[in-house]
Amino acid sequence: MFSKRLDRIQPSATLAMTAKAAELRAKGVNVLNLSVGEPDFNTPKNIVQAAKNAMDNGHTKYTPGSGIFELKEAVCNKLLRDNQLSYSPEEIIISCGGKHALYNACQVLFEKGDEVIIFSPYWVSFPDFVSVTGAKPVFVKTVATNQYEPNFDDLQSKITANTKGIIINSPSNPTGGVWSDKAIIKTLEIANRHDLWVFSDECYEQLVYNGDFKSIASFTDNQDKLLTFQSCSKTYAMTGWRIGYTAGNKDVIKAMSKLQGQSTSCPNSIAQYAAIEALSGPQNQVLEMAKIFDTRRKLIVDGLNAIQHVKCEVPNGAFYVFPDISYFLNKTYNGNTINSCNDLSLLLLNEKHIVTVSGDAFGAPNNIRFSYATSEDIINQMLIGLREFLTLLK
Ligand code: PLP
């Protein structure tokens, strides 16, 4: 009944776990949800007020398909202020979240016969964005002990005459890894040599804990084939507002606008006005949220590493930790063998009501993702429950 296109994509594993957690909570269970991919803070009041003003002022109609000019200008000012990048409004498109932006870009640039490099572990949606176009996702290994920077031998060996693009995500979901300048420069050199499109997904750009974030585009003068994706979602606790944007080559931006115009018409009008305030208004709340995340990061990393046989790298960004739990694979619980990290993740949910996302979904069968976009209390309860559960495994 359905098109082949649909067979090429998987349901989002992270959204599936969020739904499971909601189901349990509705039954009255005290769920410890560490699966969420969004800040647990409210959207700052000044941004909410800007949305109310937009409605009062009648900004409740369709906008231009690629977003309102004032927001594009605000994005340009933001890119200059925070990322030292100089773009003009015709090089910007506003979309319904970073996800929509990345989806559109894949649609306009990739097709059957193309190969696109994705670094593993990867955000669950990257392979699907690529596969749905008919192109083939090609996975490249990374080095866990080095902020999940590329394994460059593997990268070189995976590039073929069909390679068309490369997707970078630093800080990364699910690992929290932040690449060094050296790794970025080397990756850009390789991409340049093979004339690849470079996508830089920077939706966690404001959540870097040791030093300043540097946008990938700031490492090169040759930005013709480099697209930068950012979003209001994680930075301003605006996940439900659905505003993300792309900066890059104006022909690609035009192509994305054409597609967007025929699919969603335009991003939400009210949210676009709110996003102007988010990007242009006071930024102190972004720093405050990042500080709270940093405290939780230390708590969860130390707590996980204090559990015997759990190995957790210290991520330098985002709000995820991605411990290696391979020691527990093939152990048994009540006589049943734990065959995969997915089994372990499900047992944690059923036995301890701890919601995580198994690494399988991210191409990492030895890991489980915990989000620390939740309270210290929940992190502490999770650590106790996890320790108790793991000691029961034989
Ligand atoms: N990119 C990465 C790596 C993400 O983790 C997410 C959300 O989880 C997104 C992009 C998309 O976010 P949004 O569509 O809310 O901007």
Side-chain angles (χ1 to χ4, degrees):
M1 175 160 85
F2 298 114
S3 70
K4 288 209 172 62
R5 198 176 309 119
L6 200 65
D7 291 340
R8 294 199 291 260
I9 61 173
Q10 306 292 324
S12 164
T14 45
L15 292 182
M17 273 320 248
T18 309
K20 253 188 196 147
E23 219 174 89
L24 277 178
R25 202 178 293 117
K27 287 185 190 151
V29 176
N30 175 28
V31 170
L32 304 174
N33 192 356
L34 288 100
S35 76
V36 283
E38 60 185 350
D40 53 324
F41 307 109
N42 288 334
T43 305
K45 285 202 169 68
N46 60 314
I47 300 173
V48 174
Q49 188 56 48
K52 289 179 181 168
N53 293 348
M55 285 187 273
D56 288 342
N57 294 332
H59 294 304
T60 50
K61 308 272 195 312
Y62 292 131
T63 74
S66 62
I68 54 176
F69 187 77
E70 299 92 311
L71 178 53
K72 292 182 188 177
E73 275 187 326
V75 167
C76 293
N77 293 336
K78 182 269 169 213
L79 289 169
L80 194 60
R81 178 192 68 205
D82 294 352
N83 309 109
Q84 296 74 53
L85 296 174
S86 180
Y87 283 98
S88 55
E90 73 267 23
E91 295 169 303
I92 307 293
I93 175 173
I94 314 297
S95 300
C96 309
K99 195 177 219 176
H100 185 216
L102 285 152
Y103 179 90
N104 281 347
C106 287
Q107 286 291 325
V108 304
L109 288 171
F110 305 138
E111 61 193 348
K112 192 163 186 269
D114 294 337
E115 293 174 4
V116 179
I117 301 280
I118 293 171
F119 296 95
S120 183
Y122 45 77
W123 179 41
V124 288
S125 297
F126 290 143
D128 299 78
F129 290 157
V130 171
S131 316
V132 78
T133 70
K136 182 174 153 205
V138 174
F139 301 107
V140 165
K141 293 184 194 133
T142 55
V143 186
T145 49
N146 212 4
Q147 293 294 307
Y148 292 88
E149 288 181 2
N151 172 328
F152 284 100
D153 290 336
D154 197 40
L155 174 57
Q156 299 275 11
S157 76
K158 297 278 170 67
I159 294 177
T160 71
N162 295 327
T163 311
K164 182 101 183 268
I166 186 164
I167 302 179
I168 302 174
N169 175 220
S170 165
S172 148
N173 175 5
T175 68
V178 179
W179 290 7
S180 65
D181 294 2
K182 210 168 133 198
I184 294 169
I185 292 165
K186 204 164 165 183
T187 308
L188 287 177
E189 270 169 14
I190 294 169
N192 202 21
R193 202 177 321 133
H194 295 274
D195 197 28
L196 308 182
W197 284 97
V198 177
F199 285 17
S200 180
D201 176 354
E202 302 181 355
C203 76
Y204 297 97
E205 49 135 10
Q206 299 292 338
L207 297 176
V208 171
Y209 305 110
N210 63 338
D212 289 333
F213 172 78
K214 289 190 203 152
S215 178
I216 299 232
S218 67
F219 286 87
T220 173
D221 293 330
N222 180 11
Q223 292 169 3
D224 238 28
K225 294 194 80 172
L226 199 158
L227 298 174
T228 301
F229 301 85
Q230 295 185 354
S231 169
C232 290
S233 288
K234 322 283 176 172
T235 304
Y236 302 104
M238 286 177 71
T239 45
W241 300 70
R242 310 309 301 131
I243 296 291
Y245 50 90
T246 313
N249 181 317
K250 63 174 186 290
D251 293 330
V252 178
I253 297 297
K254 217 169 165 183
M256 288 169 68
S257 307
K258 184 170 146 190
L259 179 66
Q260 188 163 297
Q262 289 292 29
S263 52
T264 53
S265 289
C266 64
N268 178 291
S269 164
I270 299 151
Q272 289 189 66
Y273 283 91
I276 296 176
E277 174 62 19
L279 297 174
S280 320
Q283 300 294 303
N284 55 314
Q285 300 188 66
V286 176
L287 293 176
E288 280 160 26
M289 287 192 259
K291 222 190 244 170
I292 295 170
F293 282 133
D294 194 14
T295 307
R296 295 172 181 174
R297 179 178 70 121
K298 292 190 185 96
L299 177 70
I300 197 164
V301 170
D302 291 349
L304 286 169
N305 280 325
I307 300 175
Q308 217 185 4
H309 305 303
V310 174
K311 275 191 293 180
C312 185
E313 299 298 330
V314 182
N316 285 341
F319 41 62
Y320 307 106
V321 285
F322 204 52
D324 181 322
I325 49 77
S326 54
Y327 175 85
F328 302 97
L329 299 180
N330 301 318
K331 299 258 179 285
T332 56
Y333 175 71
N334 279 350
N336 295 319
T337 305
I338 296 172
N339 290 311
S340 64
C341 58
N342 202 33
D343 287 352
L344 186 56
S345 186
L346 281 173
L347 279 169
L348 284 174
L349 177 66
N350 293 333
E351 302 298 312
K352 292 288 177 187
H353 305 139
I354 297 172
V355 193
T356 59
V357 186
S358 87
D360 288 326
F362 307 102
N366 292 330
N367 300 69
I368 283 185
R369 190 192 79 173
F370 295 79
S371 158
Y372 52 90
T374 189
S375 67
E376 289 185 31
D377 181 40
I378 288 185
I379 294 171
N380 280 321
Q381 288 186 56
M382 176 280 288
L383 289 168
I384 292 167
L386 179 68
R387 182 193 293 267
E388 280 172 1
F389 181 74
L390 293 178
T391 52
L392 298 177
L393 304 186
K394 300 260 163 16

